[in-house]
Amino acid sequence: MAEPEPTLVPVQVGEKRGCPEDQEDDPLSKRPRVDNDHKNVGQSNQNVEGEPECEGSEEEEAGETFADMMKHGLTESDVGILKFVSNHEGFSGILKARYSDFVVHEINKQGRTLHLDDLSIPAESEDVTEAQEKPNESDVLSEDQKQQLSELQLFENKEGSVSIEVIDDSKEKRTQVHKAIKMQFPGLETKTEEKEGRKFIVAYHVAGKKALAEVKTAAAPRKHFWPQNRGSFCHFVLYKENKDTMDAINVLSKFLRLKPNMFSYMGTKDKRAITVQEIAVHKITAERLAHLNKCLMNLKVGNFCYKNHPLKLGELQGNHFTVVLRNISGTDEQVQQAMTSLKTTGFINYYGMQRFGTTAVPTYHVGRAILKNNWSEVVDLILKPRPGAEKEYLVRCRETWAKTQDPEAALKKLPNKRCVEGQLLRGLSMHGKKNIITAFGLIPRNNRLMYIHSYQSMVWNTMVSQRIRAFGLKAVEGDLVLRGTTAHVLTAEEADIHSIHDIVMPLPGFDVIYPSHPVGEGYRKMLSADGLDIDNMRHKVKDYSLAGAYRRILLRPSDVSWEVIQYDDPRISLIHTDTEKLESKPAPVFNKEGKYRALRMEFSLPPSSYATMAIREVLKMDTSIKKQTQLNTVWLN
């Protein structure tokens, strides 16, 4: 797929609309556990603050530079990201100068790295018509009845139902007819009726009359026609460029005339990247999906197969990253030291900057207000005017709210009401400011929980920095290790036989224990300073009660490799993508005496870990968008 010419805009590190590009889950468990097992949060399209984005014209932002927007944003020190574990000298490099410099391949639960390498339609064991109409031992339907039922299934029966009289009025016979209809004609339901002393089995379409009217105008009603010997879910590999997962699914659902919830996946993926992941959709054929390749932009689907189950969030083993850092300043020796350290020691497993938003109102501020049960502050933080550039309609919305405190008036300023601001205002309009908890509940649960998880993550980052500052990279008495899903406090003797890679730290909650050394007391002091009681993390609203979780302090990537490459044209792609391979396009050729130097690295990470934090350890640079924007603006000038 052709990539547009690069534009001279500030380069952004780890740009992600609310969810990290390499994070598949979040600490939402009601029981403490290893963080790699959490469920996913925040599937919806989100803006840089982690809030669902209102739709509007991008031209509204044209007058503002990204540097203007980011000058009020966060830096790493604001969210507790302070320490490094390696001794090498840091160097500069540009991450995501082009979105094709950041490529992510999902690793499924069997440990296989997914690639888009096959666009063919899978062969089936039997012809569709034969498979659908093949009789079996329990087939009790006549050919005429089958014809009527088939027409009903395809919405061609104007009566809206088919009645089959049961002459042999035994329960066994009626059961056979019920089963035969449901097995051979998916989408039909049955009931038994008695008319004038005669028993009938009545078949009707489960979608009802409303769906009947809608489908009559649809181009492809045969989506309800599904053979028995085929799995109910078509699994496929989705390749996407510069588009987040939910945006891509919304595009697919629009073309297929489906609701987005018909699709399932194992994790969300970054927008500013090229990503490859598995998707499943209910009862849509590979043929229909493959046809979309003719009209999709920056998306491609393939590697089709049919299975009997959908996908679940968090089922994956992780993600494999191929990353290019352009214009590096480090010598070959510095690069060697940095990458060797990453491979052998790893990096601090911080929650990355994507977790916290980028403007003057961080997501963890909202989370803290929720935990304190300060609902007026929650509303104020989400709706009040804020410094820094925003889309014009959001500015108008916030200003109207500040002047009038009228939710309906502020809501009228939004072109689309599905963003957090719109949902909250709609809730306030319906329930009033005296019932903010209920009003806030109109925001989707995942987005509400995102705020308190952001607060947990900020506390974890801060405490881990304290732990490393106090005790360095060795296990000490009072540290925590996991035994199964239970945390255990190390004795001095046990600490001698453990390494720093065994040590976990808790996210605050009501069902975790804390280190018995002074860092454990640090948790208590930090929460107390924020007006929270560490011994009472249960909330009167059950959703906001934090059980807590455990997360490893250090993480070592697997499958680490790297090379320093040189090139002359800054516009060319430096990674051979799946679609380029499918189209037999040649791999990039590098010039040993090229004008520019870049570091091309590969590594794999488990879910709930951040590639940007691994890259931070290599470069020893602040990865916040605010800081990178400042550095890159200077470089571009």
Side-chain angles (χ1 to χ4, degrees), residues 394-427:
L394 277 173
V395 173
R396 293 194 298 265
C397 171
R398 297 187 195 285
E399 289 176 346
T400 301
W401 171 255
K403 291 177 182 178
T404 68
Q405 297 289 294
D406 182 345
E408 292 187 5
L411 194 59
K412 289 178 181 178
K413 303 298 181 181
L414 298 176
N416 187 292
K417 321 302 183 195
R418 291 177 295 177
C419 57
V420 161
E421 293 86 355
Q423 290 159 331
L424 178 56
L425 287 167
R426 188 163 58 90

Side-chain angles (χ1 to χ4, degrees), residues 512-532:
V512 294
I513 63 173
Y514 296 88
S516 62
H517 50 56
V519 176
E521 185 61 25
Y523 277 90
R524 181 178 299 275
K525 291 179 179 178
M526 184 174 182
L527 266 65
S528 178
D530 284 340
L532 297 169

